[in-house]
Coordinates of all heavy atoms in Angstrom, one line a residue:
M4 N 0.9 -1.2 0.0 CA 0.0 0.0 0.0 C 0.8 1.3 -0.1 O 2.0 1.3 0.7 CB -0.9 0.0 1.2 CG -1.8 1.2 1.2 SD -3.4 1.0 2.2 CE -2.9 0.3 3.6
D5 N 0.4 2.3 -0.7 CA 1.1 3.5 -0.7 C 1.1 4.2 0.6 O 0.1 4.2 1.3 CB 0.5 4.3 -1.8 CG 1.3 5.5 -2.2 OD1 1.3 6.5 -1.6 OD2 2.0 5.5 -3.2
Y6 N 2.2 4.9 0.9 CA 2.2 5.5 2.3 C 1.3 6.6 2.3 O 0.9 7.0 3.4 CB 3.7 6.1 2.5 CG 4.2 7.1 1.7 CD1 4.1 8.4 2.1 CD2 4.7 6.9 0.4 CE1 4.5 9.5 1.3 CE2 5.1 7.9 -0.4 CZ 5.0 9.2 0.0 OH 5.5 10.2 -0.8
R7 N 0.9 7.2 1.2 CA 0.0 8.4 1.2 C -1.4 7.9 1.5 O -2.2 8.4 2.3 CB 0.0 9.1 -0.2 CG 1.2 9.9 -0.3 CD 1.3 10.3 -1.7 NE 1.7 9.3 -2.5 CZ 1.9 9.4 -4.0 NH1 1.8 10.6 -4.5 NH2 2.1 8.4 -4.6
I8 N -1.7 6.8 0.9 CA -3.0 6.1 1.3 C -3.1 5.7 2.7 O -4.1 5.8 3.3 CB -3.2 4.9 0.2 CG1 -3.3 5.4 -1.2 CG2 -4.6 4.1 0.6 CD1 -3.2 4.2 -2.2
S9 N -1.9 5.2 3.1 CA -1.9 4.7 4.5 C -2.1 5.8 5.4 O -2.8 5.7 6.5 CB -0.5 4.1 4.9 OG -0.4 3.7 6.1
E10 N -1.6 7.0 5.2 CA -1.7 8.2 6.0 C -3.2 8.5 6.1 O -3.8 8.9 7.1 CB -0.9 9.3 5.6 CG -0.9 10.5 6.6 CD -0.7 11.7 6.0 OE1 -0.9 11.9 4.7 OE2 -0.1 12.6 6.6
R11 N -3.8 8.6 4.9 CA -5.2 9.0 4.9 C -6.1 8.0 5.5 O -7.0 8.3 6.3 CB -5.6 9.1 3.4 CG -6.9 9.8 3.2 CD -7.1 10.4 1.9 NE -6.1 11.5 1.7 CZ -5.9 12.1 0.5 NH1 -6.7 11.8 -0.5 NH2 -5.0 13.0 0.4
A12 N -5.7 6.8 5.5 CA -6.5 5.7 6.1 C -6.4 5.8 7.7 O -7.3 5.6 8.3 CB -6.1 4.2 5.6
M13 N -5.2 6.2 8.1 CA -5.0 6.2 9.5 C -5.8 7.4 10.0 O -6.5 7.3 11.0 CB -3.5 6.5 9.8 CG -3.2 6.9 11.2 SD -1.5 7.2 11.5 CE -1.2 8.6 10.4
V14 N -5.8 8.6 9.3 CA -6.5 9.8 9.8 C -8.0 9.5 9.8 O -8.7 9.8 10.7 CB -6.2 11.0 8.9 CG1 -7.1 12.1 9.2 CG2 -4.6 11.4 9.1
T15 N -8.4 8.8 8.7 CA -10.0 8.6 8.5 C -10.4 7.6 9.7 O -11.4 7.8 10.3 CB -10.2 8.0 7.2 OG1 -9.7 8.9 6.2 CG2 -11.6 7.9 6.9
S16 N -9.6 6.6 9.8 CA -10.0 5.5 10.9 C -10.1 6.1 12.3 O -10.9 5.8 13.0 CB -9.1 4.3 10.7 OG -7.8 4.7 11.1
C17 N -9.1 7.0 12.6 CA -9.2 7.6 13.9 C -10.3 8.4 14.1 O -11.0 8.5 15.1 CB -7.9 8.4 14.1 SG -6.4 7.5 14.5
A18 N -10.7 9.2 13.0 CA -11.7 10.2 13.2 C -13.1 9.3 13.3 O -13.9 9.6 14.2 CB -11.8 11.1 11.9
V19 N -13.2 8.4 12.4 CA -14.5 7.5 12.4 C -14.5 6.7 13.8 O -15.5 6.6 14.4 CB -14.5 6.6 11.2 CG1 -15.5 5.5 11.3 CG2 -14.7 7.4 9.9
G20 N -13.3 6.2 14.2 CA -13.3 5.4 15.4 C -13.7 6.2 16.6 O -14.5 5.8 17.4
I21 N -13.2 7.5 16.6 CA -13.6 8.3 17.8 C -15.1 8.6 17.7 O -15.8 8.6 18.8 CB -12.8 9.6 17.8 CG1 -11.4 9.4 18.2 CG2 -13.5 10.7 18.6 CD1 -10.5 10.6 17.8
L22 N -15.6 8.8 16.6 CA -17.1 9.1 16.5 C -17.9 7.9 17.0 O -18.9 8.0 17.6 CB -17.4 9.3 15.0 CG -17.5 10.7 14.6 CD1 -17.7 10.9 13.1 CD2 -18.5 11.5 15.3
I23 N -17.5 6.7 16.6 CA -18.2 5.4 16.9 C -18.1 5.3 18.4 O -19.1 4.9 19.1 CB -17.7 4.2 16.2 CG1 -17.9 4.4 14.7 CG2 -18.4 2.9 16.7 CD1 -17.2 3.3 13.9
V24 N -16.9 5.5 19.1 CA -16.7 5.3 20.5 C -17.7 6.4 21.2 O -18.4 6.1 22.2 CB -15.3 5.7 20.9 CG1 -15.2 5.8 22.4 CG2 -14.4 4.5 20.4
M25 N -17.8 7.7 20.7 CA -18.6 8.6 21.4 C -20.0 8.2 21.2 O -20.8 8.4 22.2 CB -18.4 10.0 20.7 CG -17.2 10.8 21.4 SD -16.6 12.1 20.3 CE -18.1 13.0 19.9
L26 N -20.5 7.7 20.0 CA -21.9 7.2 19.9 C -22.2 6.1 20.9 O -23.2 6.0 21.5 CB -22.0 6.7 18.5 CG -22.5 7.9 17.5 CD1 -22.5 7.4 16.1 CD2 -23.9 8.3 17.8
G27 N -21.2 5.1 21.0 CA -21.4 4.1 21.9 C -21.5 4.5 23.3 O -22.3 3.9 24.1
N28 N -20.7 5.4 23.7 CA -20.8 6.0 25.0 C -22.1 6.7 25.3 O -22.8 6.4 26.4 CB -19.7 7.1 25.3 CG -18.3 6.5 25.6 OD1 -18.3 5.3 26.0 ND2 -17.3 7.2 25.4
R29 N -22.7 7.3 24.4 CA -24.0 8.0 24.6 C -25.0 7.0 24.6 O -26.0 7.2 25.4 CB -24.2 8.9 23.3 CG -25.5 9.7 23.5 CD -25.5 10.8 22.4 NE -24.6 11.8 22.7 CZ -24.4 13.0 21.9 NH1 -25.1 13.1 20.8 NH2 -23.5 13.8 22.2
R30 N -24.9 6.0 23.8 CA -26.0 4.9 23.8 C -25.7 3.9 24.8 O -26.4 2.9 25.0 CB -26.0 4.2 22.5 CG -26.5 5.2 21.3 CD -26.6 4.5 20.0 NE -27.0 5.3 19.0 CZ -27.3 4.9 17.8 NH1 -27.4 3.6 17.5 NH2 -27.5 5.7 16.8
Q31 N -24.6 4.0 25.6 CA -24.2 3.1 26.6 C -24.1 1.7 26.0 O -24.5 0.8 26.7 CB -25.1 3.1 27.8 CG -25.1 4.6 28.4 CD -25.7 4.5 29.9 OE1 -26.7 3.8 30.1 NE2 -25.1 5.2 30.8
S32 N -23.5 1.7 24.8 CA -23.3 0.4 24.2 C -21.9 0.0 24.1 O -21.1 0.6 23.5 CB -23.9 0.4 22.7 OG -23.3 -0.6 21.9
L33 N -21.6 -1.0 25.0 CA -20.0 -1.4 25.0 C -19.6 -2.0 23.9 O -18.5 -1.7 23.3 CB -19.9 -2.3 26.3 CG -18.6 -2.7 26.7 CD1 -17.9 -1.4 27.4 CD2 -18.5 -3.7 27.7
M34 N -20.6 -2.7 23.1 CA -20.2 -3.3 21.8 C -19.8 -2.2 20.9 O -18.7 -2.3 20.2 CB -21.4 -4.1 21.3 CG -21.2 -4.8 20.1 SD -20.1 -6.2 20.4 CE -19.7 -6.6 18.7
M35 N -20.6 -1.1 20.8 CA -20.2 -0.1 19.8 C -18.9 0.6 20.1 O -18.1 0.9 19.2 CB -21.5 1.0 19.8 CG -21.6 1.7 18.6 SD -23.1 2.7 18.6 CE -23.0 3.4 17.0
S36 N -18.7 1.0 21.4 CA -17.5 1.5 21.8 C -16.3 0.6 21.4 O -15.3 1.1 21.0 CB -17.5 1.8 23.4 OG -18.5 2.7 23.7
A37 N -16.4 -0.6 21.7 CA -15.3 -1.5 21.3 C -15.1 -1.6 19.8 O -13.9 -1.6 19.4 CB -15.8 -3.0 21.7
V38 N -16.1 -1.5 19.0 CA -16.0 -1.4 17.5 C -15.2 -0.1 17.3 O -14.3 -0.2 16.4 CB -17.3 -1.5 16.8 CG1 -17.2 -1.2 15.3 CG2 -17.9 -2.9 17.0
G39 N -15.6 1.0 17.8 CA -14.9 2.2 17.5 C -13.4 2.1 17.9 O -12.5 2.6 17.1
A40 N -13.1 1.6 19.0 CA -11.8 1.4 19.5 C -11.0 0.5 18.5 O -9.8 0.8 18.1 CB -11.7 0.9 20.9
A41 N -11.7 -0.5 18.0 CA -11.0 -1.4 17.1 C -10.7 -0.7 15.8 O -9.6 -1.0 15.2 CB -11.9 -2.6 16.9
V42 N -11.6 0.0 15.3 CA -11.4 0.8 14.1 C -10.1 1.7 14.2 O -9.2 1.7 13.4 CB -12.6 1.7 13.8 CG1 -12.3 2.7 12.6 CG2 -13.8 0.8 13.3
M43 N -10.1 2.4 15.4 CA -8.9 3.2 15.6 C -7.6 2.5 15.6 O -6.5 2.9 15.1 CB -9.1 4.1 16.9 CG -10.0 5.1 16.8 SD -10.4 5.8 18.5 CE -8.8 6.5 18.9
V44 N -7.6 1.3 16.4 CA -6.4 0.4 16.6 C -6.0 -0.1 15.2 O -4.8 0.0 14.8 CB -6.6 -0.7 17.5 CG1 -5.6 -1.7 17.5 CG2 -6.8 0.0 18.9
L45 N -7.0 -0.5 14.4 CA -6.6 -1.1 13.0 C -6.0 0.1 12.2 O -5.0 -0.1 11.4 CB -7.9 -1.5 12.4 CG -8.3 -2.9 12.8 CD1 -9.6 -3.4 12.2 CD2 -7.3 -4.0 12.4
G46 N -6.5 1.3 12.3 CA -6.0 2.3 11.4 C -4.6 2.6 11.8 O -3.8 2.9 10.9
I47 N -4.3 2.6 13.1 CA -2.9 2.9 13.6 C -2.0 1.7 13.2 O -0.9 1.8 12.8 CB -2.9 3.2 15.0 CG1 -3.5 4.6 15.3 CG2 -1.5 3.2 15.6 CD1 -4.0 4.8 16.7
L48 N -2.5 0.5 13.3 CA -1.7 -0.7 13.1 C -1.3 -0.7 11.6 O -0.1 -1.0 11.3 CB -2.5 -2.0 13.4 CG -2.4 -2.3 14.9 CD1 -3.3 -3.6 15.1 CD2 -1.0 -2.6 15.3
Q49 N -2.2 -0.4 10.7 CA -1.8 -0.4 9.3 C -0.8 0.7 9.0 O 0.0 0.6 8.2 CB -3.2 -0.4 8.4 CG -3.9 0.9 8.5 CD -3.3 2.1 7.6 OE1 -2.7 1.7 6.7 NE2 -3.7 3.3 8.0
A50 N -1.0 1.8 9.7 CA 0.0 2.9 9.5 C 1.5 2.4 9.9 O 2.4 2.8 9.4 CB -0.4 4.1 10.3
L51 N 1.4 1.6 11.0 CA 2.7 1.1 11.6 C 3.4 0.2 10.4 O 4.7 0.2 10.4 CB 2.5 0.2 12.8 CG 2.3 1.1 14.1 CD1 1.9 0.1 15.1 CD2 3.6 1.8 14.4
V52 N 2.5 -0.5 9.6 CA 3.1 -1.4 8.7 C 3.4 -0.6 7.4 O 4.5 -0.8 6.7 CB 2.0 -2.5 8.3 CG1 2.6 -3.4 7.3 CG2 1.9 -3.3 9.6
F53 N 2.5 0.3 6.9 CA 2.6 0.8 5.5 C 3.0 2.3 5.5 O 3.5 2.8 4.5 CB 1.2 0.8 4.8 CG 0.7 -0.6 4.8 CD1 -0.3 -1.1 5.4 CD2 1.4 -1.4 3.8 CE1 -0.8 -2.4 5.3 CE2 0.9 -2.8 3.7 CZ -0.2 -3.3 4.4
Y54 N 3.0 3.1 6.6 CA 3.3 4.5 6.6 C 4.8 4.7 6.7 O 5.3 4.8 7.8 CB 2.6 5.2 7.7 CG 2.7 6.8 7.6 CD1 2.7 7.3 6.5 CD2 2.8 7.5 8.9 CE1 2.8 8.8 6.4 CE2 3.0 8.9 8.8 CZ 3.0 9.4 7.6 OH 3.1 10.8 7.5
K55 N 5.5 4.4 5.7 CA 7.0 4.5 5.7 C 7.5 5.1 4.4 O 6.9 5.1 3.3 CB 7.6 3.1 6.0 CG 7.1 2.0 4.9 CD 7.5 0.7 5.5 CE 7.1 -0.3 4.4 NZ 7.3 -1.7 4.9
C56 N 8.8 5.3 4.4 CA 9.5 5.9 3.3 C 9.6 4.8 2.2 O 10.0 3.7 2.4 CB 10.9 6.3 3.6 SG 11.8 6.9 2.2
P57 N 9.1 5.1 0.9 CA 9.2 4.2 -0.1 C 10.6 3.8 -0.6 O 10.9 2.9 -1.3 CB 8.4 4.8 -1.3 CG 8.4 6.3 -1.0 CD 8.6 6.4 0.5
H58 N 11.5 4.7 -0.2 CA 12.9 4.5 -0.6 C 13.7 3.6 0.4 O 14.3 2.7 0.1 CB 13.6 5.8 -0.8 CG 12.9 6.7 -1.9 ND1 13.1 6.4 -3.3 CD2 11.9 7.6 -1.9 CE1 12.4 7.3 -4.0 NE2 11.6 8.0 -3.1
C59 N 13.8 4.1 1.7 CA 14.6 3.5 2.6 C 13.8 2.6 3.6 O 14.3 1.9 4.4 CB 15.5 4.5 3.4 SG 14.4 5.6 4.5
K60 N 12.5 2.6 3.5 CA 11.6 1.7 4.1 C 11.5 2.1 5.6 O 11.2 1.1 6.4 CB 11.9 0.3 3.9 CG 12.1 -0.1 2.5 CD 10.8 -0.1 1.7 CE 11.0 -0.6 0.3 NZ 10.0 0.0 -0.6
K61 N 12.0 3.2 6.1 CA 11.9 3.6 7.5 C 10.6 4.2 7.7 O 10.1 5.0 7.0 CB 13.1 4.4 7.9 CG 14.4 3.7 8.0 CD 15.4 4.5 8.8 CE 16.7 3.8 8.9 NZ 17.7 4.5 9.6
R62 N 10.1 3.9 9.0 CA 8.7 4.4 9.3 C 8.9 5.9 9.6 O 9.7 6.4 10.3 CB 8.2 3.6 10.5 CG 7.7 2.3 10.2 CD 6.6 1.8 11.1 NE 7.1 2.1 12.5 CZ 7.6 1.0 13.2 NH1 7.7 -0.1 12.8 NH2 7.9 1.3 14.5
F63 N 7.8 6.5 9.1 CA 7.6 7.9 9.5 C 6.9 8.0 11.0 O 6.3 7.0 11.4 CB 6.7 8.6 8.6 CG 7.3 8.8 7.2 CD1 6.5 8.6 6.1 CD2 8.6 9.0 7.0 CE1 7.0 8.6 4.8 CE2 9.1 9.1 5.8 CZ 8.4 8.9 4.6
K64 N 7.1 9.1 11.6 CA 6.5 9.3 12.8 C 5.0 9.4 12.7 O 4.5 10.1 11.9 CB 7.0 10.6 13.5 CG 7.8 10.5 14.7 CD 8.0 11.9 15.3 CE 8.9 11.8 16.5 NZ 9.3 13.2 17.0
I65 N 4.3 8.5 13.4 CA 2.8 8.6 13.3 C 2.3 9.8 14.1 O 2.8 9.9 15.2 CB 2.3 7.1 13.7 CG1 2.5 6.2 12.7 CG2 0.8 7.3 14.1 CD1 2.0 4.8 13.1
G66 N 1.4 10.5 13.5 CA 0.8 11.6 14.1 C 1.4 12.9 13.7 O 0.9 13.9 13.8
S67 N 2.6 12.7 13.1 CA 3.1 14.0 12.3 C 2.6 14.1 11.0 O 2.2 13.1 10.3 CB 4.6 13.9 12.4 OG 5.1 12.8 11.7
R68 N 2.8 15.2 10.4 CA 2.4 15.5 9.0 C 3.3 14.8 8.1 O 4.5 14.6 8.4 CB 2.3 16.9 8.7 CG 1.1 17.6 9.3 CD 0.8 19.0 8.8 NE 0.3 18.8 7.5 CZ 0.0 20.0 6.7 NH1 0.3 21.2 7.2 NH2 -0.5 19.9 5.6
R69 N 2.8 14.4 7.0 CA 3.7 13.7 6.0 C 4.8 14.7 5.6 O 4.5 15.7 5.0 CB 2.8 13.3 4.8 CG 3.6 12.6 3.8 CD 2.7 11.7 2.9 NE 1.5 12.4 2.5 CZ 1.4 13.2 1.4 NH1 2.5 13.4 0.7 NH2 0.3 13.8 1.0
P70 N 6.0 14.2 5.6 CA 7.2 15.1 5.3 C 7.2 15.2 3.7 O 6.9 14.2 3.0 CB 8.3 14.5 5.9 CG 8.0 13.0 6.1 CD 6.5 12.9 6.3
S71 N 7.7 16.3 3.3 CA 8.0 16.5 1.8 C 9.4 15.8 1.4 O 9.6 15.5 0.3 CB 8.0 17.9 1.4 OG 8.9 18.7 2.2
V72 N 10.3 15.7 2.5 CA 11.5 15.1 2.3 C 11.7 14.1 3.4 O 11.5 14.3 4.5 CB 12.7 16.1 2.2 CG1 14.1 15.3 2.2 CG2 12.5 17.0 1.1
C73 N 12.2 12.9 3.0 CA 12.4 11.8 4.0 C 13.3 12.3 5.0 O 14.5 12.6 4.6 CB 12.8 10.5 3.3 SG 13.2 9.2 4.4
P74 N 13.1 12.2 6.3 CA 14.0 12.6 7.4 C 15.2 11.7 7.5 O 16.1 12.0 8.1 CB 13.1 12.7 8.6 CG 12.0 11.8 8.3 CD 11.8 11.8 6.9
Y75 N 15.1 10.6 6.9 CA 16.1 9.5 7.0 C 17.2 9.4 5.9 O 18.3 9.5 6.1 CB 15.5 8.1 7.3 CG 14.5 8.1 8.5 CD1 13.1 8.0 8.2 CD2 14.9 8.2 9.8 CE1 12.2 8.1 9.3 CE2 14.1 8.2 10.8 CZ 12.7 8.2 10.6 OH 11.9 8.2 11.6
C76 N 16.6 9.3 4.7 CA 17.5 9.2 3.6 C 17.5 10.5 2.7 O 18.3 10.5 1.7 CB 17.1 8.0 2.8 SG 15.5 8.1 1.9
G77 N 16.7 11.4 3.0 CA 16.6 12.6 2.2 C 15.9 12.6 0.9 O 16.1 13.5 0.1
A78 N 15.3 11.4 0.6 CA 14.7 11.3 -0.7 C 13.4 12.2 -0.7 O 12.7 12.4 0.2 CB 14.2 9.9 -1.0
K79 N 13.3 12.9 -2.0 CA 12.2 13.7 -2.1 C 11.0 12.9 -2.3 O 10.8 11.9 -3.1 CB 12.4 14.7 -3.2 CG 11.7 15.9 -3.1 CD 12.0 16.9 -4.2 CE 11.1 18.2 -3.9 NZ 10.7 18.7 -5.3
L80 N 9.9 13.2 -1.5 CA 8.7 12.4 -1.5 C 7.7 13.2 -2.4 O 7.5 14.4 -2.2 CB 8.0 12.2 -0.1 CG 9.2 11.5 0.8 CD1 8.6 11.7 2.3 CD2 9.3 10.1 0.5
E81 N 7.2 12.4 -3.3 CA 6.4 13.1 -4.4 C 5.0 13.6 -3.7 O 4.6 13.0 -2.8 CB 5.9 12.0 -5.4 CG 5.6 10.7 -4.8 CD 5.7 9.6 -5.8 OE1 5.1 9.7 -6.8 OE2 6.5 8.7 -5.5
D82 N 4.7 14.7 -4.2 CA 3.4 15.3 -3.6 C 2.3 15.0 -4.6 O 2.4 15.2 -5.8 CB 3.6 16.8 -3.4 CG 3.8 17.1 -1.9 OD1 3.1 16.5 -1.1 OD2 4.5 18.0 -1.6
D83 N 1.1 14.6 -4.0 CA 0.0 14.4 -4.9 C -0.8 15.7 -5.1 O -1.7 15.7 -5.8 CB -0.7 13.3 -4.3 CG -1.2 13.4 -3.0 OD1 -0.6 14.2 -2.2 OD2 -2.0 12.5 -2.4
Q84 N -0.6 16.6 -4.2 CA -1.3 17.8 -4.3 C -0.4 19.0 -4.3 O 0.7 18.9 -3.5 CB -2.3 18.0 -3.2 CG -1.8 17.7 -1.8 CD -2.8 17.2 -0.9 OE1 -3.8 16.8 -1.3 NE2 -2.5 17.3 0.4
P85 N -0.5 20.0 -5.1 CA 0.3 21.2 -5.1 C 0.3 21.8 -3.7 O -0.7 22.0 -3.1 CB -0.3 22.1 -6.2 CG -1.6 21.7 -6.3 CD -1.7 20.1 -5.9
A86 N 1.5 22.4 -3.4 CA 1.7 23.0 -2.1 C 0.7 24.3 -2.1 O 0.9 25.2 -3.0 CB 3.0 23.4 -1.9
E87 N 0.0 24.4 -1.1 CA -0.9 25.6 -1.0 C -0.2 26.7 -0.4 O 0.4 26.5 0.6 CB -2.1 25.2 -0.2 CG -3.2 24.4 -1.0 CD -4.3 24.0 -0.1 OE1 -4.8 24.9 0.6 OE2 -4.7 22.9 -0.1
Q88 N -0.3 27.8 -1.0 CA 0.4 29.0 -0.5 C -0.8 29.9 0.0 O -1.3 30.7 -0.8 CB 1.3 29.6 -1.4 CG 2.6 28.8 -1.5 CD 3.6 29.5 -2.3 OE1 3.3 30.2 -3.3 NE2 4.9 29.3 -2.0
K89 N -0.9 30.0 1.2 CA -1.9 30.9 1.7 C -1.3 32.2 2.3 O -0.6 32.0 3.3 CB -2.8 30.2 2.8 CG -3.8 29.2 1.9 CD -4.8 28.6 3.0 CE -5.5 27.6 2.4 NZ -6.3 26.8 3.4
T90 N -1.5 33.2 1.7 CA -1.1 34.4 2.3 C -2.1 35.2 3.0 O -3.0 35.8 2.2 CB -0.3 35.3 1.3 OG1 -1.1 35.3 0.1 CG2 1.1 34.7 0.9
Q91 N -2.1 35.1 4.2 CA -3.2 35.8 5.0 C -2.7 37.1 5.4 O -1.9 37.2 6.2 CB -3.7 34.9 6.1 CG -4.6 33.8 5.5 CD -5.3 33.1 6.7 OE1 -4.7 33.1 7.7 NE2 -6.4 32.5 6.5
T92 N -3.3 38.1 4.9 CA -3.0 39.5 5.3 C -4.1 40.0 6.2 O -5.3 40.0 5.9 CB -2.9 40.5 4.1 OG1 -3.9 40.3 3.3 CG2 -1.6 40.1 3.3
S93 N -3.6 40.3 7.3 CA -4.6 40.7 8.4 C -5.0 42.2 8.1 O -4.2 43.1 8.1 CB -4.0 40.7 9.7 OG -2.8 41.4 9.8
T94 N -6.3 42.3 7.7 CA -6.9 43.5 7.4 C -7.6 44.1 8.5 O -8.3 45.0 8.4 CB -7.8 43.3 6.1 OG1 -8.7 42.3 6.2 CG2 -6.9 43.1 4.8
E95 N -7.5 43.5 9.7 CA -8.2 44.0 10.7 C -7.5 45.3 11.3 O -6.3 45.4 11.5 CB -8.1 42.9 11.9 CG -9.3 42.0 11.8 CD -9.1 40.9 13.0 OE1 -9.3 41.4 14.2 OE2 -8.8 39.8 12.7
Q96 N -8.5 46.2 11.5 CA -7.8 47.5 11.9 C -8.6 47.8 13.3 O -9.8 47.7 13.4 CB -8.3 48.6 11.0 CG -7.3 48.7 9.9 CD -7.6 49.8 8.9 OE1 -8.8 50.3 8.9 NE2 -6.7 50.3 8.2
I97 N -7.7 47.9 14.2 CA -8.1 48.2 15.5 C -8.6 49.7 15.8 O -7.7 50.5 15.7 CB -7.2 47.7 16.7 CG1 -6.8 46.2 16.4 CG2 -7.6 48.0 18.1 CD1 -5.5 45.8 17.0
E98 N -9.8 49.8 15.9 CA -10.2 51.3 16.1 C -10.3 51.5 17.6 O -10.8 50.7 18.4 CB -11.6 51.4 15.5 CG -11.5 51.5 13.9 CD -12.8 51.7 13.3 OE1 -13.6 52.4 13.9 OE2 -13.0 51.0 12.3
P99 N -9.8 52.7 18.0 CA -9.9 53.1 19.3 C -11.4 53.3 19.7 O -12.1 53.8 18.9 CB -9.1 54.3 19.5 CG -9.0 54.9 18.0 CD -9.2 53.6 17.2
P100 N -11.7 52.9 20.9 CA -13.1 53.2 21.4 C -13.5 54.6 21.3 O -12.7 55.5 21.9 CB -13.2 52.6 22.8 CG -11.8 52.5 23.2 CD -11.0 52.3 22.0
T101 N -14.6 55.0 20.8 CA -15.0 56.4 20.7 C -15.6 56.7 22.1 O -16.5 56.2 22.6 CB -16.0 56.6 19.7 OG1 -17.1 55.5 19.7 CG2 -15.4 56.5 18.2
E102 N -14.9 57.7 22.7 CA -15.4 58.2 23.9 C -16.4 59.4 23.8 O -16.1 60.3 23.1 CB -14.2 58.6 24.7 CG -13.5 57.5 25.4 CD -12.2 57.8 26.1 OE1 -12.3 58.8 27.0 OE2 -11.2 57.3 25.9
E103 N -17.4 59.3 24.5 CA -18.4 60.3 24.6 C -18.0 61.3 25.5 O -18.0 61.1 26.7 CB -19.7 59.8 24.7 CG -20.4 59.3 23.4 CD -21.7 58.7 23.7 OE1 -22.5 59.5 24.3 OE2 -22.1 57.6 23.2
K104 N -17.7 62.5 25.1 CA -17.3 63.6 26.0 C -18.4 64.6 26.3 O -19.0 65.0 25.3 CB -16.1 64.4 25.5 CG -14.8 63.6 25.7 CD -13.6 64.3 25.0 CE -12.4 63.5 25.0 NZ -11.4 64.1 24.2
P105 N -18.7 64.8 27.5 CA -19.8 65.8 27.7 C -19.3 67.1 27.4 O -18.2 67.5 27.7 CB -20.1 65.6 29.2 CG -18.9 64.9 29.8 CD -18.2 64.2 28.6
E106 N -20.1 68.0 26.7 CA -19.7 69.2 26.3 C -20.0 70.3 27.4 O -21.0 70.1 28.1 CB -20.4 69.6 25.0 CG -19.8 68.8 23.9 CD -20.5 69.3 22.6 OE1 -20.8 70.4 22.4 OE2 -20.8 68.3 21.8
Ligands
ZN17 ZN1 13.8 7.4 3.2

């Protein structure tokens, strides 16, 4: 499995797993909570196996964002999406409070 797919699967399974656990808690269903926990564990387990550098086969840190360059062998990791460049210019202008002066 591709490491990019693995990362996505990990994130998705964690999110879905947490949702199921929360639903299980609300419904007081131990079975449902267990299923949610299992989904999370499975997602992390597959990441332990597949979330690694395609060049040197070393595992990436789970929980960190996918690096653009392998921290171990320095291989450039292909990006499936163009790097977003968001330039946020704060246009907020702090206006001083208008004081009402008695004449
Ligand atoms: Zn590497």
Side-chain angles (χ1 to χ4, degrees):
M4 181 156 47
D5 195 279
Y6 68 99
R7 286 166 292 182
I8 298 169
S9 177
E10 186 205 29
R11 193 155 296 174
M13 172 182 63
V14 171
T15 307
S16 64
C17 278
V19 170
I21 286 168
L22 265 175
I23 297 174
V24 168
M25 274 163 52
L26 269 173
N28 279 341
R29 185 168 290 180
R30 295 184 183 189
Q31 296 196 320
S32 159
L33 196 67
M34 183 71 195
M35 206 171 179
S36 297
V38 168
V42 167
M43 285 171 67
V44 169
L45 279 176
I47 290 165
L48 276 181
Q49 65 81 23
L51 278 173
V52 178
F53 298 110
Y54 188 41
K55 59 191 177 186
C56 174
H58 299 280
C59 64
K60 313 289 183 204
K61 282 199 180 177
R62 280 209 311 264
F63 295 139
K64 246 186 183 176
I65 284 178
S67 63
R68 287 193 73 184
R69 179 156 49 84
S71 55
V72 173
C73 173
Y75 303 106
C76 67
K79 204 168 180 227
L80 303 169
E81 46 202 300
D82 254 324
D83 50 353
Q84 50 205 16
E87 283 178 49
Q88 282 188 329
K89 283 179 187 172
T90 45
Q91 282 186 331
T92 47
S93 58
T94 49
E95 271 180 64
Q96 282 184 334
I97 302 160
E98 282 176 43
T101 47
E102 281 175 47
E103 278 179 47
K104 282 176 188 172
E106 285 179 41

